[in-house]
Amino acid sequence: MIKEKLDAIETNYKSELNSVNSILELENIRIKYVGKKSELMDILANIRFLEAEEKKEVGNRANVIRKSIEQAIDEKLLLLKGNIEKKPLKEILDITEPAVKNYVGSEHLLSQMTDDVIEVFGQFGFEFAEGPEIETDWYCFEQLNMPPEHPARDMQDTFYLDEEMHILPRTHTSSVQIRYMESHQPPLRIVVPGRVYRNEAVDARHTFMFSQFEALIVDDVTTVADCKSIITQIARRLLNQEQLEVRFRHAFFPYTEPSFEIDGTCPKCLGKSKQCSLCSNKGWLELGGLGMVHPQVLRNVGIDPDKYQGFALGFGIERFAMIRHNVDYLGRFFENDLRFNRQF
């Protein structure tokens, strides 16, 4: 029985070896006939169970066949390599085929923009601060001069995780202002970037979740003039537009008084084009809102408004990224489309 198997192995490997045309096929032959799990290796491994006379005969025959197969495979390999070296390069591979590009990972555009916000504000003496995304009604609304049933809450319609416990995803990072002022005394300067959540319809420039950065100054000398000067310089740096001009429009926010909304000249047309898709031919783009901190907010955290004053501002990080990189749809920041992400 074993002798018949050895005869079959010797016959079959020779015929199969003659039809081999590639190194890959040759490797398959090697694995089949002299690999660890091959039939020949199995015979050699079980020789010890044979009678002494048969053991010697089978062992010698099996080893001769194994060496013959290995030698034949080596000779065939040299022959195949010689044929490859003689072929022109264009017959071996298609040199006109585009190369596969290796992409190096990088931070998401919003993360890059957030880092820029922290760095630019840091140049003006602002410290980085952060707080929880899941907030209480107390910090998100009441301490910011919006008691229950206050109509200003309609401006920030949101979701409640537990209405009885008054727990909700924060609607703005202004809640961190309160937490920070409760544990720090003026003078203070902080910038607070982070995600916020609102019950808004999704369109090209709005979504139920976005990133915001909030900045707060509280000391005894800050004025509206300081506020305008600082935000103009910061906006120019964040948008990479040194010629950017800003304008203030009167607005209402319950936690600041006086309050303003800020527009910046369109960085694409600088307010000079009548056919600009970015600003819809208006020449101005809304950047965010700010104002002098309301005295009641200061009282709520134990700071004397007769001695200290300050200003707070809030802007959307996506809005700045859209303006800076001419992105036309807010959802692109969250769709995880690699064709978009790899541009930045």
Side-chain angles (χ1 to χ4, degrees):
M1 184 69 177
I2 295 178
K3 292 180 181 180
E4 293 175 355
K5 288 183 179 180
L6 291 174
D7 290 340
I9 291 172
E10 190 171 22
T11 301
N12 292 338
Y13 97 79
K14 290 179 180 179
S15 61
E16 290 187 27
L17 203 58
N18 289 333
S19 62
V20 168
N21 294 313
S22 70
I23 294 177
L24 178 60
E25 292 177 0
L26 185 64
E27 176 63 12
N28 291 334
I29 294 295
R30 186 194 67 77
I31 293 172
K32 179 178 179 180
Y33 287 101
V34 292
K36 291 182 179 180
K37 297 183 179 180
S38 66
E39 188 176 20
L40 182 60
M41 292 298 106
D42 184 62
I43 292 173
L44 288 169
N46 291 286
I47 284 180
R48 63 182 183 278
F49 300 115
L50 302 177
E51 296 293 335
E53 185 175 342
E54 188 179 13
K55 182 189 299 184
K56 181 177 180 181
E57 181 181 355
V58 171
N60 289 337
R61 176 84 188 282
N63 279 314
V64 168
I65 294 175
R66 177 176 62 82
K67 292 179 181 179
S68 177
I69 294 174
E70 291 175 345
Q71 182 178 355
I73 288 175
D74 289 341
E75 291 174 355
K76 189 70 174 182
L77 179 61
L78 291 174
L79 181 62
L80 290 173
K81 286 185 175 180
N83 288 339
I84 290 175
E85 290 173 357
K86 292 177 183 178
K87 288 183 180 181
L89 181 62
K90 64 181 180 180
E91 293 184 14
I92 300 173
L93 53 86
D94 184 359
I95 59 176
T96 64
E97 183 179 356
V100 177
K101 185 175 181 179
N102 293 322
Y103 290 98
V104 179
S106 63
E107 286 189 324
H108 191 275
L109 178 57
L110 293 183
S111 297
Q112 296 178 37
M113 198 73 207
T114 300
D115 290 342
D116 288 347
V117 167
I118 295 173
E119 180 181 355
V120 171
F121 273 90
Q123 295 170 0
F124 286 82
F126 288 77
E127 296 181 3
F128 168 72
E130 58 183 345
E133 291 186 19
I134 303 302
E135 264 296 2
T136 63
D137 186 278
W138 176 256
Y139 284 105
C140 198
F141 293 126
E142 293 194 38
Q143 286 289 76
L144 287 163
N145 212 24
M146 288 183 283
E149 310 304 328
H150 194 292
R153 291 194 180 204
D154 294 339
M155 299 167 58
Q156 297 184 15
D157 188 19
T158 187
F159 315 93
Y160 277 86
L161 302 178
D162 189 327
E163 290 201 45
E164 292 185 1
M165 297 294 291
H166 304 290
I167 297 174
L168 66 154
R170 65 186 180 190
T171 64
H172 47 195
T173 53
S174 302
S175 57
V176 182
Q177 287 186 26
I178 303 299
R179 291 182 175 274
Y180 193 87
M181 288 191 289
E182 284 181 340
S183 58
H184 296 77
Q185 288 297 312
L188 54 88
R189 290 190 178 198
I190 59 170
V191 59
V192 188
R195 293 188 184 93
V196 298
Y197 306 83
R198 297 182 187 177
N199 186 17
E200 293 194 15
V202 177
D203 59 28
R205 296 192 178 186
H206 299 86
T207 183
F208 63 90
M209 179 194 75
F210 59 97
S211 302
Q212 185 185 62
F213 66 88
E214 183 97 7
L216 172 72
I217 291 180
V218 178
D219 56 30
D220 58 354
V221 296
T222 298
T223 66
V224 172
D226 298 320
C227 175
K228 182 175 181 180
S229 175
I230 289 176
I231 193 54
T232 299
Q233 294 301 318
I234 287 176
R236 286 175 177 174
R237 298 188 188 190
L238 288 176
L239 297 177
N240 294 332
Q241 181 55 262
E242 288 300 320
Q243 299 181 23
L244 181 79
E245 296 295 335
V246 300
R247 69 180 182 184
F248 284 27
R249 292 181 286 110
H250 286 291
F252 168 77
F253 302 111
Y255 32 82
T256 56
E257 180 61 38
S259 302
F260 306 93
E261 287 186 345
I262 310 169
D263 299 328
T265 50
C266 175
K268 184 176 181 180
C269 71
L270 298 178
K272 299 177 181 179
S273 173
K274 298 300 182 182
Q275 296 180 337
C276 179
S277 58
L278 184 59
C279 65
S280 300
N281 307 328
K282 296 178 181 178
W284 297 88
L285 287 171
E286 181 182 342
L287 300 179
L290 58 78
M292 301 301 294
V293 179
H294 197 290
Q296 185 58 46
V297 174
L298 295 177
R299 292 190 190 98
N300 290 343
V301 294
I303 295 177
D304 184 359
D306 294 327
K307 183 177 180 182
Y308 295 106
Q309 59 185 7
F311 74 81
L313 58 88
F315 296 87
I317 292 178
E318 286 88 350
R319 174 60 59 86
F320 270 70
M322 291 176 73
I323 296 173
R324 180 171 170 177
H325 297 286
N326 197 17
V327 177
D328 59 353
Y329 176 53
L330 182 64
R332 299 193 191 282
F333 296 116
F334 310 110
E335 291 173 344
N336 292 325
D337 188 332
L338 291 179
R339 293 170 299 177
F340 173 79
N341 292 343
R342 283 171 176 165
Q343 297 180 59
F344 310 101

